[in-house]
Coordinates of all heavy atoms in Angstrom, one line a residue:
M1 N 3.0 -3.5 1.3 CA 4.1 -2.7 2.0 C 5.0 -2.1 0.9 O 5.4 -2.7 -0.1 CB 5.0 -3.7 2.8 CG 6.1 -3.1 3.5 SD 6.8 -4.3 4.6 CE 8.3 -3.4 5.0
A2 N 5.2 -0.8 1.0 CA 6.0 -0.1 0.1 C 7.5 -0.4 0.2 O 8.0 -0.6 1.3 CB 5.8 1.4 0.2
R3 N 8.2 -0.3 -0.9 CA 9.7 -0.6 -0.8 C 10.4 0.7 -0.4 O 9.8 1.8 -0.5 CB 10.2 -1.0 -2.2 CG 10.2 0.1 -3.2 CD 10.9 -0.4 -4.5 NE 10.8 0.6 -5.5 CZ 11.5 1.7 -5.6 NH1 12.4 2.0 -4.6 NH2 11.4 2.6 -6.5
E4 N 11.6 0.5 0.1 CA 12.4 1.7 0.6 C 12.9 2.4 -0.7 O 13.1 1.8 -1.7 CB 13.5 1.2 1.4 CG 13.1 0.7 2.8 CD 14.4 0.5 3.6 OE1 15.4 1.2 3.5 OE2 14.3 -0.5 4.4
L5 N 13.0 3.7 -0.5 CA 13.5 4.5 -1.6 C 15.0 4.3 -1.7 O 15.7 4.2 -0.7 CB 13.2 6.0 -1.4 CG 11.7 6.3 -1.2 CD1 11.5 7.8 -1.0 CD2 11.0 5.9 -2.5
T6 N 15.5 4.3 -3.0 CA 16.9 3.9 -3.3 C 17.7 5.2 -3.6 O 17.2 6.1 -4.3 CB 17.0 3.0 -4.5 OG1 16.1 1.9 -4.2 CG2 18.4 2.5 -4.7
Q7 N 18.9 5.2 -3.1 CA 19.8 6.4 -3.3 C 20.3 6.3 -4.8 O 20.4 5.3 -5.4 CB 21.0 6.4 -2.4 CG 20.6 6.9 -1.0 CD 21.9 7.2 -0.2 OE1 23.0 7.4 -0.7 NE2 21.7 7.3 1.1
N8 N 20.6 7.5 -5.3 CA 21.3 7.7 -6.6 C 20.4 7.2 -7.8 O 21.0 6.7 -8.8 CB 22.7 7.0 -6.6 CG 23.6 7.7 -5.6 OD1 23.6 8.9 -5.5 ND2 24.3 6.9 -4.9
R9 N 19.1 7.3 -7.6 CA 18.2 7.0 -8.8 C 16.9 7.6 -8.4 O 16.6 7.9 -7.3 CB 18.1 5.5 -9.0 CG 17.2 4.8 -8.1 CD 17.1 3.3 -8.5 NE 16.0 2.6 -7.9 CZ 14.7 2.7 -8.2 NH1 14.3 3.5 -9.1 NH2 13.8 2.0 -7.5
W10 N 16.1 7.9 -9.5 CA 14.8 8.4 -9.3 C 13.8 7.4 -8.7 O 13.9 6.2 -9.1 CB 14.2 8.9 -10.6 CG 14.8 10.3 -11.0 CD1 15.7 10.5 -11.9 CD2 14.5 11.5 -10.4 NE1 16.0 11.8 -12.0 CE2 15.3 12.5 -11.1 CE3 13.6 12.0 -9.4 CZ2 15.2 13.8 -10.8 CZ3 13.6 13.3 -9.1 CH2 14.4 14.2 -9.8
N11 N 13.0 7.8 -7.7 CA 12.1 6.9 -7.1 C 10.7 7.6 -7.1 O 10.6 8.8 -7.0 CB 12.4 6.8 -5.6 CG 13.7 6.1 -5.3 OD1 13.8 4.9 -5.2 ND2 14.8 6.9 -5.3
W12 N 9.6 6.8 -7.3 CA 8.3 7.4 -7.2 C 7.8 7.1 -5.8 O 7.8 6.0 -5.3 CB 7.3 6.8 -8.2 CG 5.9 7.2 -8.0 CD1 4.9 6.4 -7.4 CD2 5.3 8.5 -8.2 NE1 3.8 7.1 -7.3 CE2 4.0 8.4 -7.8 CE3 5.8 9.7 -8.7 CZ2 3.1 9.5 -7.9 CZ3 5.0 10.7 -8.8 CH2 3.6 10.6 -8.4
S13 N 7.4 8.2 -5.1 CA 6.9 8.0 -3.7 C 5.4 8.1 -3.8 O 4.8 9.1 -4.1 CB 7.5 9.1 -2.9 OG 6.8 9.1 -1.6
Q14 N 4.8 7.0 -3.4 CA 3.3 6.9 -3.3 C 2.8 7.9 -2.2 O 1.8 8.6 -2.4 CB 2.8 5.5 -3.0 CG 2.9 4.5 -4.1 CD 1.9 4.8 -5.2 OE1 2.3 5.2 -6.3 NE2 0.7 4.5 -4.9
K15 N 3.5 7.9 -1.1 CA 3.2 8.7 0.0 C 3.2 10.2 -0.3 O 2.3 10.9 0.0 CB 4.1 8.4 1.2 CG 3.9 9.2 2.4 CD 4.9 8.9 3.5 CE 5.1 10.1 4.4 NZ 6.4 10.0 5.1
D16 N 4.3 10.6 -0.9 CA 4.5 12.0 -1.3 C 3.8 12.4 -2.6 O 3.7 13.6 -3.0 CB 5.9 12.4 -1.3 CG 6.6 12.2 0.0 OD1 6.0 12.6 1.0 OD2 7.8 11.7 0.0
R17 N 3.5 11.4 -3.4 CA 2.9 11.6 -4.7 C 3.7 12.4 -5.6 O 3.3 13.3 -6.3 CB 1.4 12.1 -4.6 CG 0.5 11.1 -3.9 CD -0.9 11.5 -3.8 NE -1.5 11.8 -5.1 CZ -2.0 10.9 -6.0 NH1 -2.0 9.7 -5.7 NH2 -2.5 11.3 -7.1
Q18 N 5.1 12.2 -5.6 CA 6.0 12.9 -6.5 C 7.3 12.0 -6.6 O 7.5 11.1 -5.9 CB 6.3 14.3 -6.0 CG 6.8 14.4 -4.6 CD 6.9 15.8 -4.1 OE1 7.3 16.7 -4.9 NE2 6.6 16.1 -2.9
W19 N 8.1 12.5 -7.5 CA 9.4 11.8 -7.8 C 10.4 12.4 -6.8 O 10.4 13.5 -6.5 CB 9.8 12.1 -9.2 CG 9.0 11.4 -10.2 CD1 7.8 11.8 -10.8 CD2 9.2 10.1 -10.8 NE1 7.3 10.9 -11.7 CE2 8.1 9.8 -11.7 CE3 10.1 9.1 -10.6 CZ2 8.0 8.6 -12.4 CZ3 10.0 7.9 -11.3 CH2 9.0 7.7 -12.2
I20 N 11.3 11.5 -6.4 CA 12.3 11.8 -5.4 C 13.7 11.3 -5.9 O 13.7 10.1 -6.2 CB 12.0 11.3 -4.0 CG1 10.7 11.8 -3.5 CG2 13.1 11.7 -3.0 CD1 10.2 11.2 -2.2
F21 N 14.7 12.1 -5.9 CA 16.0 11.6 -6.1 C 16.8 11.8 -4.9 O 16.9 12.9 -4.3 CB 16.7 12.4 -7.3 CG 18.0 11.8 -7.7 CD1 18.1 10.8 -8.7 CD2 19.2 12.2 -7.1 CE1 19.3 10.2 -9.0 CE2 20.4 11.7 -7.5 CZ 20.5 10.7 -8.5
I22 N 17.4 10.8 -4.3 CA 18.2 10.8 -3.1 C 19.6 10.7 -3.4 O 20.0 9.7 -4.1 CB 17.7 9.7 -2.1 CG1 16.2 9.7 -2.0 CG2 18.4 9.8 -0.8 CD1 15.6 8.5 -1.3
E23 N 20.4 11.6 -2.8 CA 21.9 11.4 -3.0 C 22.5 11.9 -1.7 O 21.9 12.6 -0.8 CB 22.4 12.3 -4.2 CG 22.2 13.8 -4.0 CD 22.7 14.5 -5.3 OE1 23.6 14.0 -5.9 OE2 22.1 15.6 -5.5
S24 N 23.8 11.6 -1.5 CA 24.5 12.0 -0.3 C 25.7 12.9 -0.8 O 26.3 12.5 -1.8 CB 25.0 10.9 0.5 OG 25.8 10.0 -0.1
D25 N 26.0 14.0 -0.1 CA 27.1 14.8 -0.5 C 28.4 14.3 0.1 O 28.4 13.2 0.7 CB 26.9 16.3 -0.1 CG 26.8 16.5 1.4 OD1 27.1 15.6 2.2 OD2 26.4 17.6 1.8
D26 N 29.5 15.0 -0.1 CA 30.8 14.5 0.4 C 30.9 14.3 1.9 O 31.7 13.6 2.4 CB 31.9 15.5 -0.1 CG 32.0 15.5 -1.6 OD1 31.7 14.5 -2.2 OD2 32.5 16.5 -2.1
N27 N 30.0 15.1 2.6 CA 30.0 15.0 4.1 C 29.1 13.9 4.6 O 29.0 13.7 5.8 CB 29.6 16.3 4.7 CG 30.5 17.4 4.4 OD1 31.7 17.2 4.2 ND2 30.0 18.6 4.2
G28 N 28.4 13.2 3.7 CA 27.5 12.1 4.1 C 26.1 12.6 4.4 O 25.2 11.8 4.8
T29 N 25.8 13.9 4.1 CA 24.5 14.4 4.3 C 23.6 14.0 3.2 O 24.0 14.0 2.0 CB 24.5 16.0 4.3 OG1 25.5 16.4 5.3 CG2 23.2 16.6 4.6
I30 N 22.4 13.5 3.6 CA 21.5 13.0 2.5 C 20.7 14.2 2.0 O 20.2 15.0 2.7 CB 20.5 12.0 3.2 CG1 21.2 10.8 3.8 CG2 19.4 11.5 2.1 CD1 21.9 10.0 2.8
L31 N 20.7 14.3 0.6 CA 20.0 15.4 -0.1 C 18.8 14.8 -0.8 O 19.0 13.8 -1.5 CB 20.9 16.1 -1.0 CG 22.2 16.6 -0.4 CD1 23.1 17.1 -1.5 CD2 21.9 17.8 0.5
Y32 N 17.7 15.4 -0.7 CA 16.5 15.0 -1.4 C 16.1 16.0 -2.5 O 16.0 17.2 -2.2 CB 15.3 14.8 -0.4 CG 15.5 13.7 0.6 CD1 16.2 14.0 1.8 CD2 15.1 12.4 0.4 CE1 16.4 13.0 2.7 CE2 15.3 11.4 1.3 CZ 16.0 11.7 2.5 OH 16.2 10.8 3.4
H33 N 15.8 15.5 -3.7 CA 15.4 16.4 -4.8 C 14.0 15.9 -5.2 O 13.8 14.7 -5.5 CB 16.3 16.3 -6.0 CG 17.7 16.6 -5.6 ND1 18.3 17.9 -5.6 CD2 18.8 15.8 -5.3 CE1 19.5 17.9 -5.3 NE2 19.9 16.6 -5.0
Y34 N 13.0 16.8 -5.2 CA 11.6 16.4 -5.4 C 11.2 17.1 -6.7 O 11.6 18.2 -7.1 CB 10.7 17.0 -4.3 CG 10.9 16.3 -3.0 CD1 11.8 16.9 -2.1 CD2 10.3 15.2 -2.6 CE1 12.1 16.3 -0.8 CE2 10.5 14.6 -1.4 CZ 11.4 15.1 -0.5 OH 11.6 14.6 0.7
Q35 N 10.3 16.4 -7.5 CA 9.6 17.0 -8.6 C 8.3 16.2 -8.8 O 8.2 15.0 -8.6 CB 10.5 17.0 -9.8 CG 10.9 15.7 -10.4 CD 11.8 15.9 -11.6 OE1 12.8 16.6 -11.5 NE2 11.5 15.2 -12.7
I36 N 7.3 17.0 -9.3 CA 6.0 16.4 -9.5 C 6.0 15.6 -10.8 O 5.5 14.5 -10.9 CB 4.9 17.4 -9.4 CG1 4.8 18.0 -8.0 CG2 3.6 16.9 -9.9 CD1 3.9 19.1 -7.8
N37 N 6.5 16.2 -11.9 CA 6.5 15.6 -13.2 C 7.6 14.5 -13.3 O 8.6 14.6 -12.7 CB 6.7 16.6 -14.3 CG 5.6 17.6 -14.3 OD1 4.4 17.3 -14.1 ND2 5.9 18.9 -14.6
P38 N 7.3 13.5 -14.0 CA 8.3 12.4 -14.2 C 9.6 13.0 -14.8 O 9.5 13.9 -15.6 CB 7.7 11.4 -15.0 CG 6.5 12.0 -15.7 CD 6.1 13.2 -14.9
P39 N 10.7 12.3 -14.5 CA 12.0 12.8 -15.2 C 11.8 12.6 -16.7 O 11.1 11.7 -17.2 CB 13.0 11.8 -14.7 CG 12.4 11.2 -13.4 CD 11.0 11.3 -13.6
K40 N 12.5 13.4 -17.5 CA 12.4 13.4 -18.9 C 12.8 12.0 -19.5 O 12.1 11.5 -20.4 CB 13.3 14.5 -19.5 CG 13.3 14.5 -21.0 CD 14.2 15.6 -21.5 CE 14.3 15.6 -23.1 NZ 15.2 16.5 -23.6
E41 N 13.8 11.4 -18.9 CA 14.3 10.1 -19.4 C 13.2 9.1 -19.2 O 13.0 8.2 -20.0 CB 15.5 9.7 -18.6 CG 16.1 8.3 -19.1 CD 17.3 7.9 -18.3 OE1 17.6 8.5 -17.3 OE2 17.9 7.0 -18.8
F42 N 12.4 9.1 -18.1 CA 11.3 8.2 -17.8 C 10.3 8.3 -18.9 O 9.8 7.3 -19.4 CB 10.7 8.5 -16.5 CG 9.6 7.5 -16.1 CD1 9.9 6.3 -15.6 CD2 8.3 7.9 -16.3 CE1 8.8 5.4 -15.3 CE2 7.2 7.1 -16.0 CZ 7.5 5.8 -15.5
T43 N 9.9 9.5 -19.3 CA 8.9 9.8 -20.3 C 9.4 9.2 -21.6 O 8.6 8.6 -22.4 CB 8.6 11.3 -20.4 OG1 8.2 11.8 -19.1 CG2 7.5 11.5 -21.4
E44 N 10.6 9.5 -22.0 CA 11.2 9.0 -23.3 C 11.2 7.5 -23.3 O 10.8 6.9 -24.3 CB 12.6 9.6 -23.5 CG 12.6 11.1 -23.7 CD 14.0 11.7 -23.7 OE1 15.0 10.9 -23.3 OE2 14.1 12.8 -24.0
L45 N 11.6 6.9 -22.2 CA 11.7 5.4 -22.2 C 10.3 4.8 -22.2 O 10.1 3.7 -22.8 CB 12.5 4.9 -20.9 CG 14.0 5.3 -20.9 CD1 14.6 4.9 -19.6 CD2 14.7 4.6 -22.1
T46 N 9.4 5.4 -21.6 CA 8.0 4.9 -21.6 C 7.5 4.9 -23.1 O 6.8 4.0 -23.5 CB 7.1 5.8 -20.7 OG1 7.6 5.7 -19.4 CG2 5.6 5.3 -20.8
M47 N 7.8 6.0 -23.8 CA 7.3 6.0 -25.2 C 8.0 4.9 -26.0 O 7.4 4.3 -26.9 CB 7.6 7.4 -25.8 CG 6.7 8.5 -25.3 SD 4.9 8.1 -25.4 CE 4.7 7.9 -27.2
K48 N 9.3 4.7 -25.8 CA 10.0 3.6 -26.5 C 9.3 2.2 -26.2 O 9.1 1.4 -27.1 CB 11.5 3.6 -26.1 CG 12.2 4.7 -26.7 CD 13.7 4.6 -26.3 CE 14.5 5.8 -26.9 NZ 15.9 5.7 -26.6
I49 N 9.0 2.0 -25.0 CA 8.3 0.7 -24.6 C 7.0 0.6 -25.3 O 6.6 -0.4 -25.8 CB 8.2 0.6 -23.1 CG1 9.6 0.2 -22.5 CG2 7.2 -0.5 -22.7 CD1 9.6 -0.1 -21.1
K50 N 6.2 1.7 -25.3 CA 4.9 1.7 -26.0 C 5.0 1.4 -27.5 O 4.3 0.5 -28.0 CB 4.2 3.1 -25.9 CG 2.8 3.1 -26.5 CD 2.3 4.4 -26.7 CE 0.9 4.4 -27.4 NZ 0.8 3.5 -28.5
I51 N 6.0 2.0 -28.1 CA 6.2 1.7 -29.6 C 6.6 0.2 -29.8 O 6.1 -0.5 -30.6 CB 7.3 2.6 -30.2 CG1 6.8 4.0 -30.2 CG2 7.8 2.1 -31.5 CD1 7.8 5.1 -30.5
L52 N 7.5 -0.3 -28.9 CA 7.9 -1.7 -29.0 C 6.8 -2.6 -28.7 O 6.6 -3.7 -29.3 CB 9.1 -2.0 -28.1 CG 10.5 -1.4 -28.5 CD1 11.5 -1.6 -27.4 CD2 10.9 -2.0 -29.8
N53 N 5.9 -2.3 -27.7 CA 4.8 -3.1 -27.4 C 3.8 -3.2 -28.6 O 3.3 -4.2 -28.9 CB 4.1 -2.5 -26.2 CG 3.0 -3.5 -25.7 OD1 3.3 -4.6 -25.4 ND2 1.8 -3.0 -25.6
D54 N 3.6 -2.1 -29.3 CA 2.7 -2.1 -30.5 C 3.3 -3.0 -31.5 O 2.6 -3.7 -32.2 CB 2.6 -0.6 -31.0 CG 1.8 0.2 -30.1 OD1 1.1 -0.3 -29.2 OD2 1.8 1.5 -30.3
K55 N 4.6 -3.0 -31.7 CA 5.3 -3.8 -32.7 C 5.1 -5.3 -32.2 O 4.9 -6.2 -33.1 CB 6.8 -3.5 -32.8 CG 7.1 -2.2 -33.5 CD 8.6 -2.0 -33.6 CE 8.9 -0.7 -34.3 NZ 10.4 -0.5 -34.4
L56 N 5.3 -5.5 -30.9 CA 5.2 -6.9 -30.4 C 3.8 -7.5 -30.7 O 3.7 -8.6 -31.1 CB 5.5 -6.9 -28.9 CG 5.6 -8.2 -28.2 CD1 6.8 -9.0 -28.7 CD2 5.7 -8.0 -26.7
I57 N 2.8 -6.7 -30.5 CA 1.4 -7.1 -30.7 C 1.2 -7.5 -32.2 O 0.5 -8.5 -32.5 CB 0.4 -6.1 -30.2 CG1 0.5 -6.0 -28.7 CG2 -1.0 -6.3 -30.7 CD1 -0.3 -4.8 -28.1
A58 N 1.7 -6.7 -33.1 CA 1.5 -6.9 -34.5 C 2.4 -8.0 -35.1 O 2.1 -8.5 -36.1 CB 1.8 -5.5 -35.2
C59 N 3.5 -8.3 -34.4 CA 4.4 -9.3 -35.0 C 4.0 -10.7 -34.8 O 3.5 -11.1 -33.8 CB 5.8 -9.1 -34.3 SG 7.1 -10.1 -35.0
K60 N 4.1 -11.5 -35.9 CA 3.7 -12.9 -35.9 C 4.9 -13.8 -35.8 O 4.7 -15.0 -35.5 CB 2.9 -13.2 -37.2 CG 1.7 -12.3 -37.4 CD 0.7 -12.6 -36.3 CE -0.6 -11.8 -36.6 NZ -1.4 -11.5 -35.5
D61 N 6.1 -13.4 -36.0 CA 7.3 -14.2 -36.0 C 7.9 -14.3 -34.6 O 8.1 -13.3 -33.9 CB 8.4 -13.6 -36.9 CG 9.7 -14.4 -37.0 OD1 9.6 -15.6 -37.2 OD2 10.7 -13.7 -36.8
S62 N 8.0 -15.6 -34.1 CA 8.4 -15.8 -32.8 C 9.9 -15.3 -32.5 O 10.1 -14.8 -31.4 CB 8.3 -17.3 -32.4 OG 9.2 -18.0 -33.2
K63 N 10.7 -15.4 -33.4 CA 12.1 -14.9 -33.2 C 12.1 -13.4 -33.1 O 12.8 -12.8 -32.3 CB 13.0 -15.3 -34.4 CG 13.4 -16.8 -34.3 CD 14.3 -17.2 -35.4 CE 14.6 -18.7 -35.3 NZ 15.5 -19.1 -36.4
E64 N 11.4 -12.7 -34.0 CA 11.3 -11.3 -33.9 C 10.6 -10.8 -32.6 O 11.0 -9.8 -32.0 CB 10.5 -10.7 -35.1 CG 10.4 -9.2 -35.2 CD 11.8 -8.6 -35.5 OE1 12.7 -9.2 -35.9 OE2 11.9 -7.4 -35.1
N65 N 9.6 -11.6 -32.2 CA 8.9 -11.3 -30.9 C 9.9 -11.4 -29.8 O 9.9 -10.5 -28.9 CB 7.8 -12.3 -30.6 CG 6.5 -11.9 -31.2 OD1 6.4 -10.8 -31.8 ND2 5.5 -12.8 -31.2
S66 N 10.8 -12.4 -29.8 CA 11.8 -12.5 -28.7 C 12.8 -11.3 -28.7 O 13.2 -10.8 -27.7 CB 12.6 -13.8 -28.9 OG 11.8 -14.9 -28.6
K67 N 13.2 -10.9 -29.9 CA 14.1 -9.8 -30.1 C 13.4 -8.5 -29.5 O 14.0 -7.7 -28.8 CB 14.4 -9.6 -31.5 CG 15.4 -8.5 -31.8 CD 15.7 -8.3 -33.3 CE 16.5 -7.1 -33.5 NZ 16.7 -6.8 -34.9
I68 N 12.2 -8.2 -29.9 CA 11.5 -7.1 -29.4 C 11.3 -7.1 -27.9 O 11.5 -6.1 -27.2 CB 10.1 -6.9 -30.1 CG1 10.3 -6.7 -31.6 CG2 9.3 -5.8 -29.5 CD1 9.0 -6.8 -32.4
F69 N 10.9 -8.3 -27.4 CA 10.8 -8.4 -25.9 C 12.1 -8.1 -25.2 O 12.1 -7.5 -24.2 CB 10.2 -9.8 -25.6 CG 10.0 -10.0 -24.1 CD1 8.8 -9.4 -23.6 CD2 10.8 -10.7 -23.3 CE1 8.5 -9.6 -22.2 CE2 10.6 -10.8 -22.0 CZ 9.4 -10.3 -21.4
G70 N 13.2 -8.6 -25.8 CA 14.5 -8.4 -25.2 C 14.8 -6.9 -25.1 O 15.4 -6.4 -24.1
E71 N 14.5 -6.2 -26.2 CA 14.7 -4.7 -26.2 C 13.8 -4.0 -25.1 O 14.3 -3.1 -24.4 CB 14.3 -4.1 -27.6 CG 15.3 -4.5 -28.7 CD 14.9 -4.0 -30.0 OE1 14.5 -2.8 -30.1 OE2 14.9 -4.7 -31.0
M72 N 12.6 -4.5 -25.0 CA 11.7 -4.0 -23.9 C 12.3 -4.2 -22.5 O 12.2 -3.3 -21.7 CB 10.3 -4.6 -24.0 CG 9.6 -4.1 -25.3 SD 8.0 -5.0 -25.5 CE 7.0 -4.3 -24.2
M73 N 12.9 -5.4 -22.3 CA 13.5 -5.7 -21.0 C 14.7 -4.8 -20.7 O 14.9 -4.3 -19.6 CB 13.9 -7.2 -20.9 CG 12.7 -8.1 -21.0 SD 11.5 -7.8 -19.7 CE 12.4 -8.1 -18.2
K74 N 15.5 -4.5 -21.7 CA 16.6 -3.6 -21.5 C 16.2 -2.2 -21.1 O 16.7 -1.6 -20.3 CB 17.5 -3.5 -22.8 CG 18.3 -4.7 -23.1 CD 19.0 -4.6 -24.4 CE 19.7 -5.8 -24.8 NZ 20.4 -5.8 -26.1
I75 N 15.1 -1.7 -21.8 CA 14.6 -0.4 -21.5 C 14.0 -0.4 -20.1 O 14.2 0.5 -19.3 CB 13.5 0.0 -22.5 CG1 14.2 0.2 -23.9 CG2 12.8 1.3 -22.0 CD1 13.2 0.5 -25.0
S76 N 13.3 -1.5 -19.7 CA 12.7 -1.6 -18.4 C 13.8 -1.5 -17.3 O 13.7 -0.9 -16.3 CB 11.9 -2.9 -18.3 OG 11.4 -3.1 -17.0
K77 N 14.9 -2.2 -17.5 CA 16.0 -2.2 -16.6 C 16.6 -0.8 -16.5 O 17.0 -0.4 -15.4 CB 17.1 -3.2 -17.0 CG 16.7 -4.7 -16.7 CD 17.7 -5.6 -17.1 CE 17.2 -7.1 -16.9 NZ 18.2 -8.1 -17.3
R78 N 16.7 -0.1 -17.6 CA 17.2 1.2 -17.6 C 16.3 2.1 -16.8 O 16.8 3.0 -16.0 CB 17.4 1.8 -19.0 CG 17.8 3.2 -19.1 CD 19.2 3.4 -18.6 NE 19.5 4.8 -18.5 CZ 20.0 5.4 -17.4 NH1 20.4 4.6 -16.4 NH2 20.2 6.6 -17.4
M79 N 15.0 1.9 -16.9 CA 14.1 2.7 -16.1 C 14.2 2.5 -14.6 O 14.0 3.4 -13.8 CB 12.6 2.4 -16.5 CG 12.3 2.9 -17.9 SD 10.7 2.3 -18.5 CE 9.7 3.6 -17.8
Q80 N 14.6 1.3 -14.2 CA 14.8 1.0 -12.8 C 16.1 1.6 -12.2 O 16.2 1.7 -11.0 CB 14.9 -0.5 -12.6 CG 13.6 -1.2 -12.9 CD 12.5 -0.8 -11.9 OE1 12.7 -0.6 -10.8 NE2 11.3 -0.6 -12.5
S81 N 17.0 2.1 -13.1 CA 18.2 2.7 -12.6 C 18.5 4.1 -13.1 O 19.6 4.6 -13.1 CB 19.4 1.8 -13.0 OG 19.5 1.8 -14.4
M82 N 17.4 4.9 -13.3 CA 17.6 6.2 -13.9 C 18.3 7.1 -12.9 O 17.9 7.2 -11.7 CB 16.2 6.8 -14.2 CG 15.5 6.3 -15.3 SD 14.0 7.2 -15.7 CE 13.2 7.3 -14.1
G83 N 19.3 7.7 -13.4 CA 20.1 8.7 -12.5 C 19.6 10.1 -12.7 O 18.7 10.4 -13.5
K84 N 20.2 11.0 -12.0 CA 19.9 12.4 -12.0 C 20.6 13.0 -13.2 O 21.8 13.0 -13.3 CB 20.3 13.1 -10.7 CG 19.8 14.5 -10.6 CD 20.1 15.0 -9.2 CE 19.7 16.5 -9.2 NZ 20.6 17.2 -8.4
T85 N 19.8 13.6 -14.1 CA 20.4 14.2 -15.3 C 20.4 15.7 -15.3 O 20.9 16.4 -16.1 CB 19.7 13.7 -16.6 OG1 18.3 14.1 -16.4 CG2 19.9 12.3 -16.8
C86 N 19.7 16.3 -14.3 CA 19.6 17.8 -14.2 C 20.3 18.3 -13.0 O 20.7 17.6 -12.1 CB 18.2 18.3 -14.3 SG 17.1 17.5 -13.1

């Protein structure tokens, strides 16, 4: 079962196969913004996670691993709340 799309953040719609940003205007009217390509911030954060993951794989120190993993979690949380930047 697919989750409901959330207002005021980017959502990936499996059904529509595109990104959707949902917001409401001052009158309460729901506005939908669609785009096929991922938001720029999503792409940038994905690259940061990839770099950190490569470091995590190569790292042997458990304290450093925890630090890197913590950074990855912060980025992941940011990805879950990406706002509209354009």
